[in-house]
Amino acid sequence: MRNWHFNHIDFSTYPHYAGSDLGVTWSESMSFFRLWAPTAKRVEIRLYLEGKSGKPLKVISMEKAESGTWIHQEPGNLEGKFYTFKVNDGEWLHEVPGPYARAVGVNGHRGMIFNPENTHPPGWENDKGPVLKNFTDWIIYEIHIRDFSIAENSGIFHKGKYAGFTEAGTVSPEGEATGLSHLLEMGITHVHLLPVNDFQTVDEEFPLLKYNWGYDPQNFNAPEGSYSTDPYDGRVRIRELKQMVKALHDHGIGVILDVVYNHTWLTKGSVFNQTVPGYYYRQNPDGSFSNASGCGNEIASERYMVRKYIIDSLKYWINEYHIDGLRFDLMGIYDSDTMRHIRYEIDSINSGIFLFGEGWTADTSPMPGYRRAIKRNISHIPGIAVFCDDMRDALKGNHNPRSSLGFVSGLALREEAVKFGVVAATWHPQIVYSYVESSPEPWAAEPSQCVNYVSCHDNYTLYDKLRMSVPDASDEEIRKMVKLAGAIILTSQGVPFLHAGMEFCRSKEGHGNSYKAPDLINQLDWSLKSTYKDVTAYYKKLIRLRKNHPVFRMPHADMIRKNLSFCIEYKVGVVSYCLNGRNAGDSWDQLLVIFNGNRDSVSVPIPAEKFRIIAYEDEIREDGIDIIEAPTITVPSVSMTLLAR
């Protein structure tokens, strides 16, 4: 019986391989195989005609090579054939495609040998994403591939597929733009896709029988087959994902991938443990698998070949799929040095690729806190950003308890926490940090390290959270809260992040963790866009406002401190501040921003100068709604007012 406790092993003694040819390298005349398996006594390759069934066409013994690797060169053109590795380290492990598999057959059990050139869509050699000057210019829109198009009212033919993102001109039954056309209408700059690498729990042969977000990774370098039109041929999913990326790029929208290297779905049976048992995972003092992911294991990012694997994989996705950004799930599981290495290596390809993640873990880890890529350490990891859960909770309350309130839902004395998010978690001399319960000190060195958001795929949607925490509120009052939350996110410094559908009051029927709930719960109900047309219109205006005015997206913390001041007399339930637009390169000299979270209107004193009213209630007009010269302005309940001169 195999011992799955590893406290008797010093993994630092394992040899390191620095080459770039791990996995399978195809050519027309031969295919070259290299597997890092330093504990192996024997390794076999098994070649198959099919990706699912059938006996091996051939069983090949690999040769032991340098630095713990095993190699084999098989003559002939093997394109379209499938393979597995089988390792014997004293006893035989299971057949797996190997950690570096880039194409797989149905359900990911066998790797596929392929010519990458045959997976490129027309014009791929000229494809590139949008180039923006600063990361604070990005407006991120988070979406799940299946959610985006699976609903009957999406008007999209390729429902739940990569190809659904390539269809232009689609509309809902009410005639509202859906899919790609909706993204263009909104004006967002980047989509953040929930995981698209091959994951475990959806049967690719019968994908509609089960749903999952995709945080159950199986093969990290191959796309998920349930989103393709043919899950049996590994080349099809690659080609269709590239077509999707190109369609978005052709319309000026960048693509961010959600990457989940922090854990695997299987532990003992994973491709890692069936190749080099124990090495890729952290262990507790007793040698058992530690579990900071809450999913049964956590990756040992600090070990040389694990770090190399993550970096190799990221560079492959960037180079092969032209990816523009990467979001790291539970980034607090990674060690800080690995994240620095990742930033350095990716900068060698493209310094304009945005890297951000969740600055926390799901459970305890043997990795000491000071070594983790967590929120409080992020100022020491340049070029890496984290989610500002301080702003999220300040605006709507924490998800637990679900009745908790925030600034937009009427909780007073949350103003300092909102201000914390307004300045993108950077240091500002006018913030009293002892009043910011979630973070007693700033954690971002620069605004590009702070991703401001109020909801995402995790926990309740914004609409559902507000419905549960303010059960007596009318529909009109909920709409106003959703609008105010969007106004704060899209006018604050840092990088704004929107959850798909929040702009039309998306609901998941109160599900707080819908990772495996059915499509009926998770799908975007495009008819809501007609029901909440006023909310959608307001978000569109907010996005246009942000894109047109650099004062809302200053790239440096020093600029924020010099040009943003909390200049108006404090009132309970009100956050207000002044912006020096001219110094920030804006066409407006001075701006006054006022957020009123109270259930009643408030009278706010303003400087005795002539201002144009730019935003008032639902209206946003950059050329001005009206002129005001009075010493005060009445700000309606639960709304943003913006003045400029």
Side-chain angles (χ1 to χ4, degrees):
M1 189 74 175
R2 178 174 291 274
N3 178 16
W4 287 99
H5 283 65
F6 297 94
N7 48 329
H8 60 293
I9 295 177
D10 180 2
F11 290 113
S12 68
T13 64
Y14 284 21
H16 304 157
Y17 179 71
S20 59
D21 59 351
L22 288 166
V24 181
T25 305
W26 174 90
S27 75
E28 196 168 354
S29 60
M30 66 92 182
S31 291
F32 179 74
F33 299 77
R34 188 186 291 270
L35 183 73
W36 184 71
T39 60
K41 301 183 186 307
R42 291 175 59 192
V43 181
E44 292 179 349
I45 301 168
R46 299 184 176 215
L47 293 178
Y48 292 91
L49 186 63
E50 299 179 7
K52 177 186 176 184
S53 58
K55 294 181 179 180
L57 298 172
K58 192 173 184 180
V59 178
I60 304 162
S61 292
M62 300 185 76
E63 300 173 21
K64 196 166 189 177
E66 70 274 18
S67 305
T69 65
W70 295 74
I71 60 172
H72 176 73
Q73 183 173 297
E74 182 68 12
N77 186 347
L78 300 182
E79 182 171 16
K81 301 295 191 299
F82 296 85
Y83 69 92
T84 60
F85 295 105
K86 191 165 176 128
V87 171
N88 187 315
D89 65 347
E91 57 182 287
W92 286 106
L93 293 160
H94 301 157
E95 290 182 61
V96 290
Y100 278 79
R102 297 179 178 94
V104 293
V106 68
N107 289 322
H109 299 308
R110 294 175 184 171
M112 187 180 193
I113 303 166
F114 72 108
N115 175 4
E117 295 292 326
N118 290 340
T119 66
H120 298 341
W124 186 245
E125 66 278 5
N126 298 317
D127 174 73
K128 56 182 63 176
V131 178
L132 301 180
K133 186 176 181 181
N134 302 300
F135 290 134
T136 50
D137 298 332
W138 291 38
I139 301 171
I140 299 172
Y141 189 88
E142 182 204 48
I143 187 64
H144 182 271
I145 297 283
R146 191 154 140 178
D147 296 356
F148 190 63
S149 57
I150 198 71
E152 280 300 314
N153 60 16
S154 71
I156 296 170
F157 178 77
H158 291 98
K159 296 187 186 304
K161 306 297 183 185
Y162 300 120
F165 282 79
T166 68
E167 299 178 34
T170 60
V171 295
S172 68
E174 296 79 17
E176 297 289 343
T178 65
L180 175 60
S181 296
H182 173 74
L183 299 178
L184 295 172
E185 182 185 284
M186 292 303 298
I188 55 95
T189 66
H190 291 75
V191 293
H192 158 208
L193 303 171
L194 268 66
V196 301
N197 66 278
D198 182 55
F199 54 86
Q200 188 92 24
T201 55
V202 172
D203 186 341
E204 293 176 354
E205 294 188 277
F206 307 100
L208 296 183
L209 295 181
K210 199 168 185 180
Y211 176 96
N212 206 282
W213 281 339
Y215 295 98
D216 51 337
Q218 180 172 230
N219 294 296
F220 286 99
N221 292 330
E224 167 62 18
S226 67
Y227 301 146
S228 74
T229 59
D230 181 359
Y232 298 95
D233 186 334
R235 294 165 294 192
V236 174
R237 61 182 79 183
I238 295 173
R239 186 180 304 112
E240 290 180 346
L241 177 53
K242 289 178 178 177
Q243 288 169 340
M244 170 187 167
V245 171
K246 187 175 185 302
L248 289 164
H249 283 173
D250 286 348
H251 288 89
I253 298 174
V255 178
I256 300 167
L257 293 191
D258 202 321
V259 292
V260 196
Y261 300 101
N262 58 66
H263 75 283
T264 54
W265 173 247
L266 295 176
T267 302
K268 294 176 183 177
S270 75
V271 67
F272 293 143
N273 267 332
Q274 295 300 314
T275 306
V276 191
Y279 179 83
Y280 287 88
Y281 300 90
R282 290 194 192 117
Q283 287 84 26
N284 296 311
D286 67 357
S288 61
F289 294 107
S290 54
N291 185 26
S293 70
C295 300
N297 57 72
E298 59 180 292
I299 291 297
S301 60
E302 68 279 9
R303 294 177 188 159
Y304 181 93
M305 291 300 290
V306 181
R307 181 179 291 167
K308 172 181 167 55
Y309 177 78
I310 294 170
I311 291 172
D312 286 350
S313 178
L314 292 172
K315 290 168 76 172
Y316 173 71
W317 282 103
I318 291 166
N319 288 323
E320 188 67 22
Y321 292 91
H322 303 174
I323 297 306
D324 306 291
L326 298 157
R327 180 266 194 193
F328 292 82
D329 181 64
L330 293 179
M331 192 172 69
I333 290 174
Y334 300 73
D335 67 290
S336 298
D337 282 343
T338 290
M339 294 308 302
R340 292 188 190 95
H341 276 278
I342 289 170
R343 181 73 269 178
Y344 175 81
E345 291 288 341
I346 288 177
D347 280 350
S348 69
I349 303 172
N350 181 358
S351 61
I353 290 172
F354 188 45
L355 305 180
F356 66 109
E358 295 177 300
W360 48 79
T361 63
D363 210 331
T364 56
S365 172
M367 169 70 66
Y370 71 89
R371 291 187 61 191
R372 296 185 211 159
I374 52 179
K375 190 171 65 173
R376 71 170 180 265
N377 297 334
I378 210 68
S379 63
H380 305 296
I381 316 177
I384 307 293
V386 296
F387 284 98
C388 187
D389 54 337
D390 311 276
M391 178 68 110
R392 177 198 70 192
D393 292 353
L395 293 183
K396 69 172 184 180
N398 191 272
H399 64 278
N400 187 20
R402 61 193 221 166
S403 60
S404 64
L405 299 171
F407 179 81
V408 304
S409 45
L411 181 64
L413 305 180
R414 298 299 289 162
E415 299 84 15
E416 219 66 20
V418 175
K419 289 162 61 179
F420 183 96
V422 165
V423 300
T426 60
W427 178 75
H428 193 285
Q430 290 180 285
I431 293 179
V432 183
Y433 289 96
S434 59
Y435 288 178
V436 183
E437 295 176 6
S438 53
S439 288
E441 58 186 14
W443 44 259
E446 296 291 351
S448 57
Q449 290 191 293
C450 174
V451 177
N452 267 322
Y453 75 119
V454 68
S455 66
C456 66
H457 67 276
D458 274 324
N459 309 318
Y460 307 112
T461 69
L462 174 60
Y463 178 83
D464 285 346
K465 170 63 176 173
L466 295 173
R467 271 281 172 223
M468 290 183 289
S469 58
V470 196
D472 296 331
S474 67
D475 185 65
E476 179 58 33
E477 289 170 326
I478 295 292
R479 290 175 193 240
K480 293 180 70 171
M481 296 177 208
V482 173
K483 291 172 187 174
L484 179 57
I488 296 172
I489 294 297
L490 286 162
T491 58
S492 290
Q493 306 302 316
V495 182
F497 174 104
L498 306 175
H499 180 215
M502 66 181 283
E503 72 277 17
F504 47 78
C505 297
R506 180 182 185 179
S507 174
K508 293 186 183 179
E509 304 299 328
H511 281 255
N513 190 18
S514 66
Y515 74 99
K516 61 178 182 179
D519 288 315
L520 192 62
I521 297 298
N522 284 291
Q523 67 188 8
L524 282 183
D525 179 357
W526 288 101
S527 289
L528 289 174
K529 188 177 173 185
S530 177
T531 305
Y532 293 97
K533 199 167 187 173
D534 58 316
V535 182
T536 307
Y538 190 68
Y539 272 69
K540 284 163 55 179
K541 288 182 276 191
L542 288 168
I543 290 170
R544 185 168 61 245
L545 178 73
R546 183 180 184 89
K547 292 171 79 171
N548 288 346
H549 292 280
V551 74
F552 296 119
R553 42 190 172 85
M554 289 182 271
H556 302 296
D558 282 343
M559 288 182 69
I560 296 173
R561 286 187 282 271
K562 289 175 182 176
N563 297 303
L564 189 157
S565 63
F566 297 97
C567 59
I568 301 175
E569 177 186 343
Y570 168 73
K571 285 182 176 290
V572 174
V574 176
V575 172
S576 54
Y577 56 94
C578 298
L579 289 165
N580 187 326
R582 177 63 61 89
N583 289 347
D586 207 285
S587 59
W588 288 329
D589 284 346
Q590 186 180 10
L591 294 88
L592 302 182
V593 183
I594 308 168
F595 304 124
N596 180 16
N598 292 293
R599 307 301 25 81
D600 299 307
S601 61
V602 294
S603 179
V604 176
I606 58 175
E609 300 172 21
K610 182 187 291 186
F611 282 92
R612 279 183 291 161
I613 301 174
I614 303 298
Y616 198 82
E617 295 188 312
D618 277 6
E619 194 62 35
I620 300 176
R621 283 180 48 187
E622 293 174 48
D623 59 349
I625 301 167
D626 202 351
I627 300 291
I628 183 169
E629 296 184 76
T632 63
I633 186 169
T634 299
V635 180
S637 64
V638 195
S639 73
M640 174 184 76
T641 292
L642 174 63
L643 310 177
R645 68 174 180 87

